Amino acid sequence: MKLQQYSDQDLVKLYLTGDEAVLEELLRRHKSKIYTSIYLLVKDQYLAEDIFQDAFIKVINTLRSGRYNEEGKFLPWVMRIAHNLVIDYFRREKRGPVITSADGTDVFNMLQFHEESAEDRILREQTHFDLRAMIHLLPDDQKEVLIMRHYADLSFKEIADLTDVSINTALGRMRYALSNLRKMMKVKEIS
């Protein structure tokens, strides 16, 4: 029987018995979909290739360690790994969410009309630090939508497609995330 005729589930089982060649078939089968989803998020070919490779290294390590829970959902599992690596990348690269005006200008950059003093710089850095800490406290589904919208600059349709929810659910999660951030900010102002 040719490898193309095996299900993903069967290929994973073969790989776990030591058949390294089946990994090529899994890669061939899913590379385009996984790479494209990464590329749509990062919009950089070389970065997308790096994250794709990191995702498959993680897949291999998880399979070899026996931590893969076989439920016949290989592709969604790999997509989730890739998606999480993209989010990790944006967390590392961006210091704070970018909020843009209607013409696409970063609002934070527009606010600096004067030479920034050391005191202003410290205050700005502390504000960004506090905001990142508050974002970290959000429930995972809200944090994910907020990061994808403001850090990765994705549309709500793209977010809905990547997270396998409706656009309304993605919008709702964003609304709750912003509401929760406002509540946290009020608590911080009071204390």
Side-chain angles (χ1 to χ4, degrees):
M1 194 150 131
K2 292 183 178 181
L3 289 180
Q4 292 88 345
Q5 296 171 327
Y6 284 95
S7 69
D8 288 351
Q9 202 171 359
D10 292 335
L11 291 175
V12 168
K13 286 177 187 171
L14 283 171
Y15 179 75
L16 293 175
T17 64
D19 187 347
E20 298 280 330
V22 300
L23 193 59
E24 280 184 49
E25 175 59 21
L26 284 168
L27 259 170
R28 184 200 62 73
R29 205 175 271 187
H30 301 299
K31 179 179 181 179
S32 177
K33 185 175 269 189
I34 296 164
Y35 173 82
T36 301
S37 71
I38 295 169
Y39 180 78
L40 288 172
L41 288 169
V42 299
K43 297 174 177 81
D44 178 297
Q45 175 186 348
Y46 299 110
L47 178 59
E49 289 170 5
D50 286 347
I51 292 173
F52 176 82
Q53 287 177 353
D54 290 346
F56 260 88
I57 289 169
K58 199 164 191 163
V59 165
I60 291 167
N61 290 338
T62 304
L63 289 173
R64 285 184 178 161
S65 70
R67 290 179 289 138
Y68 175 64
N69 183 10
E70 178 55 63
E71 295 174 2
K73 298 178 189 258
F74 180 78
L75 180 60
W77 175 65
V78 177
M79 293 288 276
R80 174 62 56 195
I81 289 171
H83 176 75
N84 289 341
L85 288 171
V86 168
I87 289 176
D88 290 346
Y89 165 78
F90 281 112
R91 281 186 186 140
R92 280 192 313 271
E93 293 302 311
K94 299 282 187 173
R95 300 200 176 267
V98 176
I99 301 170
T100 56
S101 64
D103 67 354
T105 320
D106 184 347
V107 172
F108 285 116
N109 291 340
M110 289 172 36
L111 297 175
Q112 298 176 357
F113 296 110
H114 59 86
E115 191 66 33
E116 186 176 46
S117 69
E119 197 174 311
D120 290 338
R121 183 181 49 78
I122 291 169
L123 185 61
R124 180 180 46 80
E125 288 173 358
Q126 184 61 46
T127 302
H128 284 200
F129 177 80
D130 290 346
L131 181 59
R132 282 193 307 276
M134 288 177 201
I135 290 171
H136 186 68
L137 294 173
L138 291 171
D140 286 343
D141 57 347
Q142 294 173 23
K143 182 179 1 176
E144 180 180 54
V145 171
L146 184 84
I147 288 169
M148 292 171 82
R149 181 74 183 120
H150 286 292
Y151 287 70
D153 198 28
L154 296 179
S155 71
F156 283 105
K157 175 161 182 14
E158 291 169 318
I159 293 168
D161 290 345
L162 281 167
T163 57
D164 287 329
V165 298
S166 70
I167 291 177
N168 286 339
T169 300
L171 287 166
R173 288 177 179 175
M174 181 62 140
R175 189 177 71 246
Y176 284 123
L178 295 174
S179 173
N180 286 334
L181 284 175
R182 281 187 207 99
K183 288 176 189 171
M184 285 186 242
M185 287 177 195
K186 283 182 184 174
V187 169
K188 182 153 179 58
E189 286 174 12
I190 293 168
S191 58

